[in-house]
Amino acid sequence: MIDPFGRHISYLRVSVTDRCDFRCKYCMSENMTFLPKKDVLSLEELELVSAAFIRKGVRKIRITGGEPLVRKDIMTLFRNLGLYLQSGELDELTLTTNGSQLEKYAGDLFAAGVRRINVSLDTLNPYHFQDITRWGNFEKVMRGIEAARTAGLHVKINTVALKGFNDAELGDMVRWTGERGMDISFIETMPMGAVDGLRSDQYLPLSEVKQQLAQSWTLTPSAYRTGGPSDYFDVAETGMRVGFITPLTHNFCESCNRVRLTCTGMLYMCLGQEDSADLRAALRRDPSRAALDAAIDEAIGRKPKGHDFIIDRRHDDRPAVKRHMNVTGG
Ligand code: SAM
Ligand code: SF4
């Protein structure tokens, strides 16, 4: 699959549910309306759509959400997609999770063929954790991370950098992850969906974070690539890596290889644009899959050049897109 700007699309992110057992303040508002359950694709349908993308050249699938591990029977999807790893049709099956269910599922994930996962963790302070996630349980997440490492999963921590919240402890998080043999990526907060409070009050440019970290750590540009948007640096003191995901300060759209499927079968060709394609309609209309294949081709043909994220007071803190991050996943 090649889009109008010559980019090869080889990476599919699948949001298997928009529901979540946390309510992170930058991701969701306090009172969320979730997608109607009747509109959600079954696990079989999610697999059929994923298989269509694999046939068309996708080599990497990331399962995300909402919180993917709260979806009932989700291991069935992991096990079935894991078969494509065994057959060599897929290079990598991976997961982004808040870690709350890892104690339960880490072993099953490894058995399904998952080797690398991203766990989102914005602070090492249990009180701040409670504040930012509203509903999270810090100790359970810590146990989940340990369970994942014990099961043999390579864990990368994802941390949204938030002004006035975790800016003072980002260096500690580099140390904490480094000591445990984990990489860490920092992420700039993106204006997706309305949240309580102003995005401009929270927004912390990672150019500032990098400068701040460089005072304590020796950072050298790394050749390491995962197919994702993180720009990695080796940390000499820990032997691990720190990544920067900078949708605001450095747009990485020119190398975008990704499209995103929601749990209701909408395909978003860009995280930061409203345009989408209804793959569920195509899937349910034509059991021969011809309509689904044609709908995917048509959608890739209108993948936009990039997003237009801006966060500042002049733009009145308006979200770039109406949907929250939990719909398309990270
Ligand atoms: N629930 C899972 C988790 O938290 O890892 C997967 C879904 S979550 C939407 C995926 C990632 O998006 C998380 O790392 C989260 O911190 C990040 N995220 C959520 N809202 C964001 C926003 N507005 N800007 C930047 N990152 C965001
Ligand atoms: Fe849930 Fe992940 Fe969003 Fe937090 S960031 S509310 S854990 S989907």
Side-chain angles (χ1 to χ4, degrees), residues 46-184:
L46 285 169
E47 189 189 330
L48 279 173
V49 178
S50 302
F53 275 97
I54 293 170
R55 282 198 303 276
K56 287 184 169 294
V58 156
R59 304 291 309 175
K60 172 169 175 173
I61 294 183
R62 175 175 297 280
I63 304 295
T64 177
E67 175 46 43
L69 298 185
V70 300
R71 176 141 184 192
K72 193 161 173 269
D73 293 332
I74 191 63
M75 284 306 130
T76 309
L77 182 66
F78 277 100
R79 274 193 296 275
N80 290 348
L81 291 179
L83 299 177
Y84 293 91
L85 294 168
Q86 286 176 24
S87 67
E89 290 162 276
L90 200 58
D91 293 332
E92 190 169 35
L93 175 62
T94 174
L95 161 75
T96 303
T97 175
N98 64 23
S100 69
Q101 310 299 314
L102 277 176
E103 256 186 309
K104 185 167 159 198
Y105 288 129
D108 293 342
L109 287 166
F110 189 89
V114 176
R115 292 294 175 266
R116 292 191 314 126
I117 64 170
N118 290 351
V119 180
S120 304
L121 179 71
D122 301 316
T123 175
L124 293 170
N125 178 317
Y127 300 101
H128 291 168
F129 181 87
Q130 197 63 59
D131 174 44
I132 198 80
T133 64
R134 293 193 182 105
W135 295 4
N137 178 330
F138 182 77
E139 291 307 325
K140 202 168 172 201
V141 170
M142 289 296 121
R143 291 198 301 272
I145 292 171
E146 275 320 298
R149 296 175 61 223
T150 307
L153 296 168
H154 182 85
V155 177
K156 187 188 74 159
I157 299 293
N158 275 352
T159 303
V160 180
L162 296 166
K163 190 164 67 186
F165 175 73
N166 58 9
D167 32 4
E169 65 166 316
L170 299 179
D172 292 340
M173 295 192 75
V174 171
R175 176 177 301 104
W176 185 83
T177 48
E179 283 170 357
R180 286 159 183 77
M182 300 189 287
D183 293 334
I184 182 166

